[in-house]
Amino acid sequence: MTTEPARALLQRLGQFLDGFSACFSRQPQRDAASQYLDGLFNDSERKSMQAMHGRLGDSRDYQALQHFITHSPWDATQVWTQLRATVPVRTGILALDDTGFPKQGTQSPGVQRQYCGVLGKIGNCQVAVSCALIADGRTWPLAFDLYLPTSWTEDAVRCAAAGIPSTVRFREKWRIALAQVRAVLHAGFTITGVVVDADYGANAAFRAGLERLGLAYGVAIRGEATFAVAGVPGTLSATALAASAPDDAWETVTWGTGTAGPLTARFCALRVRPTTGRGKRWLLCERSATNERKYYLLHLPVATSLVDLVALARSRWPIEQQYRELKDDLGLDHFEGRTYQGWAHHVVLTAVAFTFLQIERGRPTDSPRPTLPIVRGWVREIMGLLYVLHNKRLLHMLDSFRRNAPLRR
């Protein structure tokens, strides 16, 4: 990247961060927030505060930064509110999911042996519930909340040690997710549909909550879910309904393009009445080329086409990509602190950094839209240069190399 584009990018970053200045009551807090974001953007493989310490050099700077993240009283909720107001896209599909943070010890808030998607099995981890807006080919993180199991919320001593307020009570993941949906609606977003995996979609209370909010949804469910069908006595499972559907009820639908080519499967859609809900819904059954079966329940008008049903049901995958990018490019899962507030501070600042990169991706250009890792590389290159310029020891080293090059060609 040449000088002028680099200067322009830094200016845009400064203007973007200025929008969050009111979230921090004092100038030292604002300076520390900028410093922490610099650390998230830099080329260090680890984004923990210990790794940032190596970049800072001065132990006093490190101690101030550590205090800013773990104990400073600024409100992460206020930053989330400002971040939702900053997102330039206001209409789209809302994806809700949870993601795991593997841990070694037992003192990180919320940690226990539980299912961890990153590990693909039960393991020692933290779990966070999050939601993201999917729109215009990009995802926008709108909320992250740490899930606290009863092993924590029922242990006052343990909570106090991690700085968890006494007012915090146990909430099931689906209740956390619904609260996030309400926060997104309150922020003025228009949600065209909600998508979740089967852990949430199989929960009738969660679906009822979405319906009370007047929202369309396309949720994954499990094959054993049962339904009543007009003209058929009793109830049948989703698996049985799919198996009894005639061949001409199945159609091939392509809903996107993956790394290996078009994403295609066979689908059939049936109007059913869930035994755990009210009113008729769409049951969408999927059969892949390898005969893998998947099932979705959709709250959409009766006139909705099969293509549109598939488009909504199959739109959830970008949130998984967002998790990978947040973790691989910005260190979402690198926080090593043991305080509830510290975790919340780290996560919201990571989301702020991610949002800036997504805004940069959407800037008008004659070239195809760059991927997030490419934009991340531009920022990292600039941050690396600024780090050198502000480090006298490295500048002296570069000057020495210039005058007496260690390698001769």
Side-chain angles (χ1 to χ4, degrees):
M1 178 174 284
T2 58
T3 302
E4 288 307 313
R7 287 182 180 275
L9 190 150
L10 281 178
Q11 185 177 21
R12 292 194 298 271
L13 176 58
Q15 292 171 344
F16 173 77
L17 296 181
D18 284 345
F20 294 87
S21 60
C23 300
F24 305 100
S25 60
R26 297 180 294 111
Q27 187 60 45
Q29 287 183 349
R30 292 190 281 273
D31 292 341
S34 295
Q35 192 175 41
Y36 199 82
L37 286 163
D38 288 350
L40 295 178
F41 282 132
N42 73 34
D43 58 358
S44 172
E45 289 298 319
R46 291 290 300 176
K47 308 300 180 184
S48 65
M49 284 185 288
Q50 191 63 39
M52 290 181 188
H53 180 204
R55 285 280 181 168
L56 295 172
D58 190 328
S59 61
R60 292 171 300 179
D61 289 343
Y62 171 67
Q63 291 168 1
L65 188 66
Q66 185 179 48
H67 174 79
F68 167 74
I69 291 296
T70 59
H71 293 100
S72 185
W74 59 275
D75 187 2
T77 301
Q78 185 180 356
V79 181
W80 276 115
T81 299
Q82 178 59 32
L83 183 62
R84 288 191 284 267
T86 302
V87 171
V89 182
R90 311 304 296 179
T91 301
I93 294 170
L94 191 68
L96 298 119
D97 203 354
D98 52 65
T99 186
F101 303 77
K103 294 292 178 181
Q104 296 297 322
T106 60
Q107 294 179 299
S108 298
V111 70
Q112 73 167 18
R113 286 187 58 78
Q114 55 193 320
Y115 181 78
C116 178
V118 176
L119 301 175
K121 61 181 181 180
I122 292 176
N124 196 58
C125 67
Q126 296 169 303
V127 172
V129 179
S130 79
C131 67
L133 188 75
I134 302 172
D136 190 30
R138 288 169 288 173
T139 59
W140 305 90
L142 301 181
F144 265 88
D145 287 286
L146 187 63
Y147 169 68
L148 294 174
T150 54
S151 62
W152 278 83
T153 57
E154 295 178 358
D155 189 335
V157 174
R158 197 180 192 192
C159 285
I164 299 172
S166 59
T167 55
V168 173
R169 298 289 184 266
F170 172 74
R171 287 191 299 168
E172 297 92 338
K173 294 175 187 176
W174 68 269
R175 292 188 189 276
I176 297 173
L178 277 180
Q180 292 181 353
V181 174
R182 288 191 287 269
V184 171
L185 290 172
H186 181 73
F189 289 90
T190 299
I191 300 174
T192 57
V194 175
V195 289
V196 295
D197 67 13
D199 288 338
Y200 293 87
N203 189 305
F206 173 75
R207 300 196 307 266
L210 296 179
E211 291 166 12
R212 284 193 295 271
L213 292 171
L215 296 174
Y217 59 71
V219 302
I221 58 172
R222 299 186 178 92
E224 60 265 26
T226 56
F227 304 94
V229 181
V232 179
T235 60
L236 292 172
S237 68
T239 300
L241 287 168
S244 63
D247 288 343
D248 59 4
W250 295 82
E251 296 182 32
T252 300
V253 178
T254 299
W255 67 87
T257 303
T259 56
L263 301 174
T264 301
R266 300 267 290 169
F267 294 88
C268 77
L270 307 167
R271 291 294 284 176
V272 299
R273 185 184 300 275
T275 55
T276 54
R278 295 181 178 180
K280 290 186 177 180
R281 302 288 178 260
W282 282 108
L283 171 65
L284 182 66
C285 309
E286 176 183 340
R287 187 170 62 195
S288 69
T290 58
N291 210 33
E292 181 183 6
R293 306 299 177 98
K294 294 182 180 180
Y295 307 96
Y296 311 88
L297 193 65
L298 298 101
H299 180 32
L300 287 172
V302 66
T304 306
S305 69
L306 180 64
V307 170
D308 288 340
L309 292 174
V310 173
L312 178 59
R314 272 309 207 150
S315 63
R316 194 183 68 86
W317 68 267
I319 196 171
E320 300 292 347
Q321 180 182 6
Q322 175 187 274
Y323 287 148
R324 289 195 299 272
E325 292 171 339
L326 279 166
K327 293 177 180 181
D328 294 346
D329 292 316
L330 294 170
L332 175 69
D333 57 344
H334 292 183
F335 182 68
E336 297 172 352
R338 295 174 177 176
T339 67
Y340 182 71
Q341 180 173 256
W343 182 92
H345 286 170
H346 167 75
V347 168
V348 73
L349 290 177
T350 303
V352 168
F354 185 91
T355 299
F356 174 73
L357 296 180
Q358 291 289 56
I359 290 174
E360 284 295 300
R361 286 185 62 207
R363 287 180 54 77
T365 175
D366 295 332
S367 304
R369 176 182 291 170
T371 64
L372 187 135
I374 288 176
V375 178
R376 163 75 172 81
W378 296 341
V379 178
R380 180 172 57 187
E381 181 181 336
I382 297 170
M383 293 303 176
L385 176 60
L386 290 177
Y387 169 64
V388 172
L389 292 176
H390 288 88
N391 190 307
K392 292 182 179 179
R393 182 176 59 84
L394 289 178
L395 283 176
H396 288 320
M397 185 184 298
L398 289 174
D399 184 58
S400 173
F401 282 10
R402 181 183 60 80
R403 289 183 283 103
N404 184 21
L407 296 177
R408 302 288 183 181
R409 294 187 183 276

